[in-house]
Structures are given as C-alpha cells and as structure tokens.
Amino acid sequence: MTKRALLIGAASYDLTGVHADVALMEQVMADRSFTDVRVRVDGDACYHGIAEALAKLAGDTKNGDAVVIYYSGHGSLLPVPTVLRGRLPGSPQYLQYLVPVDHRDSTADDFRGYLAEELTHVLRQMTVVTRNVTCVLDCCHSGGMVRDGGGLRIKSVPSEVPVEAALTRSTELATERRSPDPDVVRLVATQRHGLAYEEDRQGLFTASLAKALKDFHDRPVPWSVLIARIRDHIPPQAVLQRPDAGGPSGRLPFSLDVPARPERLPLASDNGRLCVPGGALFGLGAMDRVRLMLSADGPQDETTAETDVVAIKASDALLESPPSLLPLSVPPGSYAVPVRVHTRHRVHISMTGPLADALRTRLASSPRLVEAMPEEAPFASVRLQNGVPQVVDAQCHPYRHPVQELGGSHASPSAQAGRVVTLLEMIARGERLRKLDDPDDASRLDVELTARMEVETAPGSHVYRTFQNGDAGLRAGCHYRLSVVGGANTELYVWVLGVGLSGRTTLVTCDQPSGIRLEPDDGPNTDAHTNVVMWESGPVEVWWPDDVPAEGSRPESVLLLVGDRQLDLLPLVTAVRTLKAEPTALSSLLDQVCDGVRDSRRSIVADALRYRVFSWHTTVEPPPLSPGATTKGLKEAPRKGMNP
C-alpha cells in the first residue's frame, strides 16, 4: 500500500496564504507517513495542470492505496442566466468550480474553471481502485469578492468570465451518475453558499485541520470528531464559515478503520445553560440522563460527568448544570452520550444459560433497551440457532444471517452479547425514527410546505409515479426521489433519512449532514414578490443487503425533515463498517463531492431548531433467489453497495 497525496495551491486573484497552506499540508502528510506527495502551485495550478495532475494520480493509484486530494484557493458559485440555460437543455442552475490561476483567461470556447462534475468524475475513477480516498477543500463556494473589516480575507472570486464552454462541459458530464461517491471522505471549509477565510497568510480551515491532526495524532479519533474540534477553532468573526465532514466521516483519518464509539450528541450553551441542540430529534425527553464528555485541549483525557434533561425548549434538550463543572463552559469538541432515555424498546430473550445472563447484563446498561416482561410485546427477540444467537423481528424474520451478524459460535458469551446489543440498539434507533412526526406547537416550523415522494414503476424504467402511504411495496432495485416546495421568509434546510429494511438508518443527504439549504425557485412561473423555495433529490436506489435473509417483506421508511436552523444529524445514523453509505443524487457541483455547511457559532444558541417531518412508509419485497441459492447460513461478506 502506498500513501499518495496531491496538494494543489491556486493563488489566484488576491489570495496570500495559499503557499503557506500547501507547505503546512506537506508537513501533515509527512507526519502521517505519506511517501508519494505531489505539489501543484503557481503556474502548475492552471486548469490543464490541475486536470492532468488529478488524471495522473488516478492512473497511478493501486488497490489498497490511501489517497488525499487537497486544494487551497478560490471557489466560485455562479448562477447561470436563464437565457443560457434555455439554449442548452439539461444545464445546471449554478456552475460551481475550483478557480485555477489562469481563470481570467477563460473565453466563450475555453472555460478555465475546474468544475465539480470533473472532480466527481476523477474521484470515481480512484474509488473504483481503492476505497480510501479523502478530498480536502479549503475554498469558498460563493461568488463575489468582498472584504471583512476584521482583517479576514474571503476566499471567493469575481465571476466576470464567459461560461458558455463551462455549461457545455457540465452538461456532458451530467450524463454520468450524479450521486456522491460513498467512499470519499469530504472535508470542506464551508458550505455551498458559505464563505471561507484566510488570515495572517494562512487559511483558517487548513490551520485548524493541521492542529487537530497534530493534537490527536496518537489517538483513534474519527473525522466526525475532529471536524467538531476544527469547527470550534474557527474565530467568531468568521460567522459564515462552518467546516464539515461528509461521506464516511466515522473513519479514522486517512484510513478505512471505523472505531467503536458511543452515540455522540451535540453539546452547546444556551444563555448560560448546557443543552443538546435538537435533543428531541435524538429521542431525549425530560428526566432522561446523559453523560457529558468535556474535551481537553490537545491529547489530554476528557472530563466526564452525568446530568439530567430538565426540559425541552422547542427541539433542544436543556440540561441540569452539574455543580462540579461550574463555572459553566463548553470546551471545543465536547459532546453528550445518552445514559438513559424515556422511550426504551423491549427485547425478549428466548434462551437460558450464560449467554442469556450476559445479555441481561448488557441490556441493564443500554440507554435505549430493556428486557420485555412475559406479558409485554417485544419489538425484537433473541434466540439461538445452531448455537449462534440470532435477532428476529415480530414476524420471526431474522435481521441478519447468524454468522455474519454475530461472529459465529466460537465467541465468548460476553462478546456475543455485546454484538447482539449493538445490533438491537441500531434497530431500535431506526424504529424510533420511523415514528417521528411533526413536533408540538413549541418546535413546529410555521411554514407552508408541500413534499412529494415518487417511485419507479419498475426497476430501471426511469418512469415515476407519485407514492402515497399505503401503496404497494417496493422491489429491490427500484429508485425513489423526493421534492419539497413552499414559501418562506427565512432560510430553510432539508435532510433525508432512510430507515431501511435491514434496520439501518441512513442519512441520505450525507454529503451535507447539517442540512441542505432550500434554493429560491427561479422558474418561469415564479412570482417575483413571493419567496418560493424548493429542493429536489435525484434517484435513490432501494437495495436488499446481502447480510439480510431474503425472507418475507420488510419495512422501509423515508423521512424528509425541513428546519429553520442547521444541525448535524449524523448522530442519528448507523455506523456501518462493511457497507457503503447509501448514495444520494444531489445534482449541484461540489454538492456531489465536497459540499459543507455553515451556521453561527455553536457555543451560542439563539433559538432552537423548529422543524417539519414528512414521512413515507412501505414494505420491500425480497429479491428472487437465484437457482440453487438458499436463504439460510450464507457466509459471504456483504457486497459493496448501498445501505438501506
């Protein structure tokens, strides 16, 4: 295995920190034992230089390699004039691209911007060969050049260049799959409409990224945790910059390893009181108990303390302040872990002996599970099959093939019980989300919205019909797509969650875990005096995982959430080591590759999230078995694919 990195620094227009950014990342790569480090700066960071360097990296990449693509420079997001979109059917509403040093030389026939579609394409070439790919972008995705009075320089770019050639290139590449590659970890400085800054001749995001990687060099800390630390080190005056991690951000840096970790919930301060933003969405209620994990600077150990939820304010869970932590503070990178929640799912144990005893011990410490009494209806049961524990649903359908599910009959009772409870907690989280509905008046989003789900009439037909709850079940291989439209006088954000037939929960919009901003509808029938917003997904495939027995129909739920604040919903998602995350089909440029998010400082919560929930529930029919196949005892590993 070779560790390869391509570091691109495009010091176009007035940027002054690009060379320092690249030099700092060279040191980061050396510290992480990268041996093939390629640098493209100055004249080598022109459009053709960037394209050739990426193509060569893709060609040199071998199976099992670790690959990093880093870019520091300007980013641009250009709204495409309606008249140009009319001339070229299928052209995007926005052009989003990285800005090479020769961007000013663009002509109507030769556009010198590196489009997101091009980056998507080359990253797909790499992940066909190796899954270990990380894309890091320290750039701004908005158009227009402005300056900040506090000395920060915004990494945005003027847009007075012809875009005809860009539209043609974008439309040609749009014939490919538009879904984000689920194997690419995407680390970004800001969201699609956000701003990235540099200060003192250094990119804020790059400096914070390098510091976090250095501080936690010897600790198994995944990207999702590091990005929280990075986010909190962005200075308060850069209020429009909020770094984020998309894709499989549960991995350790530059690795495929996913460490075991507790259910991490966000932790913030609301007028001097600790709270879990969006705690109601994560299943918290009054009198529930959480453990606070207060981060220390550098590699020191965390400080822990337990406290109770005292109230729900809109969707936020307000916490009782532990006396030992006064005066109250929320160090960067801190989080909360649920210890006990009010809604606990009941599990029936249909066995005796050491394994049953180990299961009861594990259930007693689980925040979301409890053993069912004889008169209570369980949501799942644990039984033995050929000496191996198996988890089954209310219809006695196994959730997993036993060997794949729990590691075989040679594991100790304690190890088997741990795997069983991990699976049960994952399924319980999905079952709770299936029942998620519009909140009460305190946290309900008071906006008129209409949402629609459409499903393919047959797998691969590309013909869609409107789906209504209660419609006939789906088939594996079919696709669905979602849309939402409404009028609003405030920014709105959307998330899509899937609770699949396997019990796993997927954040379908995983590239933007803190929410996708709804865009103004600029269609020909739009009233200029109304604020009409809309969002559409592309097709999302329904898949029957290989580790789920093809026995009986299974429930499938799709939830579309719309809120008036950004909130990272990754804690709702199931961490899966062996399966790719389910891809989406977001059609905008770096949405597909590297889009991030922004909001105000996390340590200040002015108002709690207010939201709406739209949900669709159906069943998925099992795929037909191939001749000679059996539904029992399959031992092959789950295929690389989507994660319903």
Side-chain angles (χ1 to χ4, degrees), residues 549-573:
E551 301 176 12
S553 60
R554 308 292 180 111
E556 179 100 7
S557 299
V558 179
L559 293 86
L560 186 150
L561 280 69
V562 182
D564 62 353
R565 299 288 185 276
Q566 291 184 303
L567 180 67
D568 190 344
L569 293 188
L570 278 177
L572 292 173
V573 178

Side-chain angles (χ1 to χ4, degrees), residues 206-252:
T206 297
S208 297
L209 172 63
K211 183 179 187 307
L213 288 170
K214 180 180 180 180
D215 287 347
F216 294 94
H217 189 282
D218 298 321
R219 297 177 65 185
V221 178
W223 286 120
S224 57
V225 177
L226 287 176
I227 206 71
R229 172 61 65 91
I230 293 166
R231 187 180 300 145
D232 285 317
H233 277 94
I234 298 296
Q237 61 266 36
V239 295
L240 297 183
Q241 179 167 353
R242 184 180 191 268
D244 212 350
S249 59
R251 293 178 184 172
L252 297 179

Side-chain angles (χ1 to χ4, degrees), residues 97-180:
Y97 57 91
L98 308 180
V99 181
V101 295
D102 58 344
H103 176 251
R104 280 193 179 98
D105 299 331
S106 297
T107 68
D109 299 320
D110 183 13
F111 180 72
R112 303 292 180 90
Y114 195 79
L115 297 173
E117 290 91 341
E118 295 175 277
L119 188 53
T120 300
H121 175 76
V122 74
L123 288 174
R124 285 196 184 283
Q125 290 180 317
M126 294 178 192
T127 56
V128 167
V129 179
T130 180
R131 294 174 52 210
N132 190 359
V133 177
T134 305
C135 181
V136 185
L137 296 182
D138 190 352
C139 62
C140 181
H141 298 163
S142 63
M145 180 72 73
V146 298
R147 292 181 179 261
D148 182 84
L152 296 176
R153 189 184 302 276
I154 297 176
K155 304 177 83 171
S156 60
V157 66
S159 55
E160 298 88 2
V161 296
V163 298
E164 289 84 350
L167 283 176
T168 301
R169 210 155 73 216
S170 172
T171 304
E172 290 172 351
L173 287 167
T175 60
E176 302 182 359
R177 285 191 305 159
R178 286 184 170 272
S179 56

Side-chain angles (χ1 to χ4, degrees), residues 571-604:
L572 292 173
V573 178
T574 303
V576 182
R577 291 173 180 266
T578 55
L579 294 177
K580 292 184 177 183
E582 183 174 1
T584 73
L586 310 179
S587 60
S588 302
L589 178 58
L590 295 183
D591 289 354
Q592 304 166 30
V593 183
C594 54
D595 206 0
V597 295
R598 67 171 171 84
D599 66 1
S600 60
R601 297 288 293 166
R602 263 192 2 165
S603 60
I604 302 173

Side-chain angles (χ1 to χ4, degrees), residues 91-378:
S91 58
Q93 182 178 356
Y94 291 91
L95 282 174
Q96 199 169 5
Y97 57 91
L98 308 180
V99 181
V101 295
D102 58 344
H103 176 251
R104 280 193 179 98
D105 299 331
S106 297
T107 68
D109 299 320
D110 183 13
F111 180 72
R112 303 292 180 90
Y114 195 79
L115 297 173
E117 290 91 341
E118 295 175 277
L119 188 53
T120 300
H121 175 76
V122 74
L123 288 174
R124 285 196 184 283
Q125 290 180 317
M126 294 178 192
T127 56
V128 167
V129 179
T130 180
R131 294 174 52 210
N132 190 359
V133 177
T134 305
C135 181
V136 185
L137 296 182
D138 190 352
C139 62
C140 181
H141 298 163
S142 63
M145 180 72 73
V146 298
R147 292 181 179 261
D148 182 84
L152 296 176
R153 189 184 302 276
I154 297 176
K155 304 177 83 171
S156 60
V157 66
S159 55
E160 298 88 2
V161 296
V163 298
E164 289 84 350
L167 283 176
T168 301
R169 210 155 73 216
S170 172
T171 304
E172 290 172 351
L173 287 167
T175 60
E176 302 182 359
R177 285 191 305 159
R178 286 184 170 272
S179 56
D181 194 309
D183 273 328
V184 178
V185 175
R186 294 165 285 275
L187 307 176
V188 296
T190 189
Q191 76 161 83
R192 185 172 176 231
H193 290 271
L195 302 176
Y197 297 81
E198 63 174 25
E199 184 176 35
D200 298 328
R201 296 182 180 272
Q202 186 83 71
L204 295 182
F205 177 60
T206 297
S208 297
L209 172 63
K211 183 179 187 307
L213 288 170
K214 180 180 180 180
D215 287 347
F216 294 94
H217 189 282
D218 298 321
R219 297 177 65 185
V221 178
W223 286 120
S224 57
V225 177
L226 287 176
I227 206 71
R229 172 61 65 91
I230 293 166
R231 187 180 300 145
D232 285 317
H233 277 94
I234 298 296
Q237 61 266 36
V239 295
L240 297 183
Q241 179 167 353
R242 184 180 191 268
D244 212 350
S249 59
R251 293 178 184 172
L252 297 179
F254 315 119
S255 167
L256 295 177
D257 294 336
V258 179
R261 62 189 181 95
E263 182 182 351
R264 297 173 183 265
L265 304 181
L267 186 63
S269 172
D270 181 5
N271 296 321
R273 179 189 289 274
L274 284 173
C275 73
V276 176
L281 282 175
F282 301 127
L284 295 181
M287 303 310 296
D288 288 345
R289 193 162 185 81
V290 298
R291 181 176 297 115
L292 307 179
M293 311 297 291
L294 301 180
S295 179
D297 285 331
Q300 292 84 5
D301 292 337
E302 295 170 315
T303 300
T304 65
E306 291 190 5
T307 189
D308 293 329
V309 177
V310 295
I312 299 294
K313 174 187 175 184
S315 62
D316 288 357
L318 302 183
L319 306 179
E320 183 178 8
S321 301
S324 61
L325 296 181
L326 297 177
L328 187 63
S329 64
V330 182
S334 300
Y335 58 95
V337 176
V339 174
R340 183 192 66 245
V341 300
H342 59 290
T343 302
R344 305 180 74 183
H345 287 76
R346 291 169 171 78
V347 179
H348 177 59
I349 301 175
S350 58
M351 65 183 74
T352 58
L355 178 56
D357 295 339
L359 277 172
R360 291 187 173 95
T361 299
R362 291 276 185 170
L363 289 178
S365 61
S366 171
R368 302 190 183 276
L369 302 173
V370 65
E371 183 178 2
M373 296 295 100
E375 68 278 5
E376 295 175 327

